[in-house]
């Protein structure tokens, strides 16, 4: 019982095109924004649609590059887990890809999808938490987080080496570190 991710992706794209975009546009155009600046609404919606199309194409390309790994993992799942993956998680993760604004993070989303394909019965809340957190992180946040991980294994760069490489100052670094701590991705000495 194989899964045809290409066909599933095509179905999702078609469903998105047929669904709520038209209804959302109507609601906005009937509202205050539509009355005050009707051209602005259509411009914003057109920009957002183009960005989402671009992100979805990047998502599909990343997935195509990792398809062999994903398919191997999916073949090991029970028929029930395979069905849940296809009908629930693939679409859910596709939605996150549509919302992403940084192209480079699509690879992280596909990596998460590939890892999810190896889990027999993933917890939905855990999957949502992972993607919510990933959506909230920026590339700089991820670079600092990866460096903290490397430092914990004695392979990362020092603080003084990292800042110029990332093009950030001490204040920005502190802000990123506080964000990572707030999200529970870094531990502090306080507990």
């Amino acid at each position: 019982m194989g899964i045809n991710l290409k066909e599933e992706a095509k179905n999702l794209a078609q469903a998105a095109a047929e669904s709520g975009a038209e209804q959302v546009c109507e609601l906005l155009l009937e509202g205050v924004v539509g009355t005050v600046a009707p051209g602005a609404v259509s411009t914003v919606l057109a920009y957002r649609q183009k960005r989402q199309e671009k992100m979805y194409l990047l998502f599909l390309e990343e997935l195509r590059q990792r398809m062999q790994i994903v398919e191997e993992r999916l073949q090991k799942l029970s028929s029930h887990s395979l069905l849940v993956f296809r009908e629930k998680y693939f679409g859910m993760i596709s939605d996150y890809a549509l919302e992403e604004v940084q192209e480079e993070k699509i690879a992280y989303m596909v990596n998460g999808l590939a890892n999810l394909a190896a889990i027999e019965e993933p917890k939905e809340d855990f999957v949502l938490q992972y993607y919510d957190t990933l959506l909230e992180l920026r590339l700089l946040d991820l670079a600092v987080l990866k460096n903290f991980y490397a430092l914990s294994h004695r392979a990362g760069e020092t603080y003084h080496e990292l800042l110029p490489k990332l093009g950030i100052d001490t204040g920005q670094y502190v802000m990123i570190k506080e964000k990572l701590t707030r999200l529970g991705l870094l531990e502090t000495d306080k507990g």
Side-chain angles (χ1 to χ4, degrees):
M1 175 189 240
I3 183 171
N4 187 339
L5 290 178
K6 186 176 181 180
E7 187 64 32
E8 188 69 24
K10 187 189 296 184
N11 290 341
L12 283 169
Q14 184 178 11
E18 296 171 355
S19 69
E22 194 172 306
Q23 294 171 353
V24 170
C25 187
E26 287 177 22
L27 287 173
L28 285 173
L29 291 175
E30 289 174 10
V32 176
V33 175
T35 305
V36 174
V41 171
S42 60
T43 301
V44 168
L45 289 176
Y47 166 77
R48 185 177 178 124
Q49 181 178 354
K50 284 184 180 187
R51 180 180 51 83
Q52 287 178 333
E53 288 171 1
K54 182 178 183 180
M55 291 304 188
Y56 199 69
L57 290 173
L58 287 170
F59 175 75
L60 293 177
E61 177 57 27
E62 281 287 332
L63 187 58
R64 185 191 63 75
Q65 292 175 17
R66 303 199 62 180
M67 188 56 71
Q68 183 176 353
I69 295 168
V70 172
E71 286 178 348
E72 287 171 4
R73 291 175 178 176
L74 289 174
Q75 289 174 358
K76 296 176 184 176
L77 295 180
S78 68
S79 59
H80 171 74
S81 292
L82 182 61
L83 184 65
V84 170
F85 181 89
R86 183 177 58 91
E87 292 183 357
K88 184 178 193 175
Y89 292 116
F90 183 77
M92 181 187 297
I93 295 166
S94 296
D95 287 344
Y96 280 98
L98 289 171
E99 293 303 314
E100 184 52 60
V101 295
Q102 291 183 303
E103 295 176 20
E104 296 87 347
K105 285 177 48 189
I106 297 296
Y108 291 98
M109 292 184 172
V110 173
N111 185 56
L113 179 74
N115 289 324
L116 183 64
I119 301 173
E120 185 63 39
E121 292 186 33
K123 298 288 184 208
E124 180 179 353
D125 286 340
F126 179 74
V127 174
L128 290 169
Q129 182 67 36
Y130 173 81
Y131 282 96
D132 286 345
T133 302
L134 185 57
L135 203 59
E136 191 171 337
L137 294 173
R138 296 291 132 234
L139 291 171
L140 281 173
D141 301 333
L142 291 167
V144 171
L145 180 62
K146 285 167 62 175
N147 193 67
F148 271 109
Y149 177 79
L151 279 172
S152 72
H153 292 86
R154 304 205 191 306
E157 298 176 298
T158 67
Y159 165 83
H160 296 291
E161 296 168 331
L162 184 63
L163 269 73
K165 185 176 179 181
L166 295 177
I168 60 175
D169 62 30
T170 302
Q172 293 165 323
Y173 178 82
V174 168
M175 184 180 71
I176 291 169
K177 187 176 175 186
E178 287 173 357
K179 178 181 181 179
L180 294 172
T181 302
R182 185 181 74 250
L183 290 172
L185 299 172
L186 289 181
E187 293 181 7
T188 64
D189 294 335
K190 299 175 186 173

